[in-house]
Amino acid sequence: MSSTFSLAPKPYIRESNGKLLPRKSMLTTIRAEVITAPKQRSMRVFPELSIQGIPVADLHVQEIVQRQSKTYNMANEGTSQKSQFDPSFLEEAYERCRNICAEYAKTFYLGTLLMTEERQKAIWAIYVWCRRTDELVDGPNSGHMSSEVLDRWEERLQDIFEGRPYDMLDAALTHTVLNFPLDIKPFRDMIEGMRMDTRKCRYQNFQELYLYCYYVAGTVGLMSVPVMGIAPDSLISTQSTYDAALYLGIGNQLTNILRDVGEDAARGRVYLPQDELAQFGLCDKDVFSRKVSDQWREFMKEQITRARHYFNLAEEGASQLDKDSRWPVYTLL
């Protein structure tokens, strides 16, 4: 399952000590105890859900804010690279990105039309990369998926950021990286999410699901903030604006999960907290049977409440974006 942009397509991942929203008080977030993943020698392990009590997803955001702020300062000091692409080549590259976005993410695409031309192109390029990444796991050739495929895709991502695109669509993202203070980390995190999605199809609690949502969709919000821009007179910190972007991704991903329960069940996947299902007397068997009972309705109402909570948090930060970017985000909300 997944949803990248929920903002558009779909991506993948899991695990985190995120904000646990209790069944009876969805709007109250609490920290949970530290949970560590089992260690193995020959393969990657899932990260700790928290470090010193701080949710892993939140630590990712802090690091990304620092790294992208550094990139922004370097660009302002004149150390950014110059584009090496022919203008006509770039125009065709972005046009291809636009066509893909318009075809596969119609509602999202309409929102991008409210952006400035430069920002439109950048968001189209980011969307296309996210979609292609998602297709590795969920696309028609996903049967050939392997850890080696993802390793090669990550190497290709590094080449994009170092100015060595493999094809025209990659070139659009390379040009975007030159024009905006984007850091590679959220892109890498999305790939890591895909690795996890190939190995995990159950989530014991919302802490795990929260980190999954970070990798799958929260990363897209973090990629987008440097393109959208933050208002010079913003009343909140840069960190808070990034948090709002993360929450938009979380809300979108939770919505996708609730929308696609049947589709995911057909693939043997349940993207719902197992402990919360149990609280309502439900289990995987009820999901696979597609039986809509009173317990199921009550369970879903609480899941919807949680998703709305994250959308509300996102909306609080949208007003602090650059004024030319606020309406596109409001349309997504």
Side-chain angles (χ1 to χ4, degrees):
M1 176 317 133
S2 47
S3 137
T4 320
F5 258 67
S6 247
L7 285 146
K10 321 165 158 184
Y12 6 116
I13 292 4
R14 59 308 277 306
E15 227 127 70
S16 152
N17 179 313
K19 298 165 172 125
L20 177 62
L21 301 176
R23 193 165 79 85
K24 296 300 181 185
S25 178
M26 288 299 188
L27 301 185
T28 302
T29 59
I30 62 176
R31 303 297 188 189
E33 60 186 284
V34 176
I35 301 176
T36 57
K39 295 182 179 180
Q40 302 176 20
R41 293 184 179 181
S42 60
M43 62 183 292
R44 294 174 184 250
V45 297
F46 297 125
E48 291 182 341
L49 296 182
S50 73
I51 298 176
Q52 296 181 342
I54 302 176
V56 173
D58 293 353
L59 292 173
H60 283 303
V61 176
Q62 293 173 18
E63 181 181 354
I64 290 169
V65 170
Q66 294 172 356
R67 293 172 64 145
Q68 292 190 155
S69 296
K70 180 180 179 180
T71 304
Y72 175 78
N73 292 332
M74 292 176 61
N76 284 346
E77 293 169 2
T79 57
S80 59
Q81 298 173 305
K82 299 298 182 181
S83 172
Q84 72 273 38
F85 303 115
D86 180 86
S88 61
F89 173 83
L90 273 179
E91 183 178 357
E92 183 179 352
Y94 280 119
E95 180 65 13
R96 290 191 182 185
C97 291
R98 184 190 72 80
N99 290 336
I100 293 172
C101 188
E103 179 178 357
Y104 294 102
K106 294 179 175 60
T107 303
F108 172 71
Y109 171 71
L110 291 176
T112 67
L113 297 182
L114 297 173
M115 300 177 186
T116 62
E117 182 178 355
E118 185 179 29
R119 284 171 174 158
Q120 281 179 5
K121 292 178 177 179
I123 291 296
W124 294 338
I126 292 172
Y127 169 84
V128 167
W129 183 86
C130 290
R131 180 170 184 85
R132 297 174 87 187
T133 303
D134 179 62
E135 288 292 301
L136 294 176
V137 172
D138 284 344
N141 296 318
S142 59
H144 302 289
M145 175 57 128
S146 67
S147 59
E148 290 75 18
V149 170
L150 291 173
D151 289 343
R152 289 197 297 272
W153 188 251
E154 187 166 2
E155 292 171 2
R156 181 165 165 174
L157 172 68
Q158 184 69 43
D159 287 340
I160 289 173
F161 271 77
E162 293 179 358
R164 300 188 300 273
Y166 181 79
D167 62 16
M168 183 172 283
L169 296 179
D170 285 356
L173 183 57
T174 292
H175 186 255
T176 292
V177 169
L178 295 177
N179 285 344
F180 294 92
L182 288 165
D183 187 77
I184 196 172
K185 180 170 174 51
F187 295 83
R188 279 181 170 157
D189 282 351
M190 181 174 282
I191 294 175
E192 184 61 22
M194 295 179 62
R195 290 191 178 95
M196 298 169 74
D197 207 31
T198 63
R199 303 197 298 264
K200 187 178 178 74
C201 58
R202 296 292 188 280
Y203 300 85
Q204 293 305 311
N205 50 50
F206 183 66
Q207 299 156 260
E208 292 187 5
L209 189 62
Y210 179 83
L211 186 55
Y212 169 84
C213 292
Y214 160 75
Y215 280 110
V216 174
T219 49
V220 180
L222 304 185
M223 296 172 194
S224 303
V225 171
V227 176
M228 300 291 190
I230 300 175
D233 57 349
S234 173
L235 302 177
I236 62 177
S237 67
T238 298
Q239 176 73 47
S240 296
T241 302
Y242 272 86
D243 286 341
L246 168 64
Y247 296 145
L248 177 56
I250 298 291
N252 273 317
Q253 183 59 25
L254 291 175
T255 300
N256 283 359
I257 287 171
L258 302 182
R259 179 197 65 196
D260 295 339
V261 169
E263 176 184 329
D264 293 328
R267 301 168 58 199
R269 294 181 171 272
V270 178
Y271 291 88
L272 301 169
Q274 295 287 311
D275 61 345
E276 294 179 21
L277 282 169
Q279 288 173 11
F280 286 87
L282 301 168
C283 63
D284 287 355
K285 182 179 178 181
D286 297 290
V287 177
F288 294 137
S289 70
R290 300 170 181 263
K291 180 181 178 181
V292 179
S293 62
D294 289 340
Q295 294 97 315
W296 176 258
R297 290 189 179 92
E298 291 305 310
F299 169 79
M300 289 294 283
K301 284 179 181 178
E302 297 231 356
Q303 303 304 310
I304 291 169
T305 297
R306 173 184 280 145
R308 286 176 172 161
H309 169 60
Y310 282 104
F311 282 126
N312 289 337
L313 292 177
E315 188 170 4
E316 293 173 7
S319 62
Q320 304 304 308
L321 293 173
D322 184 272
K323 61 182 179 62
D324 291 331
S325 298
R326 293 171 192 171
W327 278 113
V329 176
Y330 285 143
T331 62
L332 294 174
L333 284 164

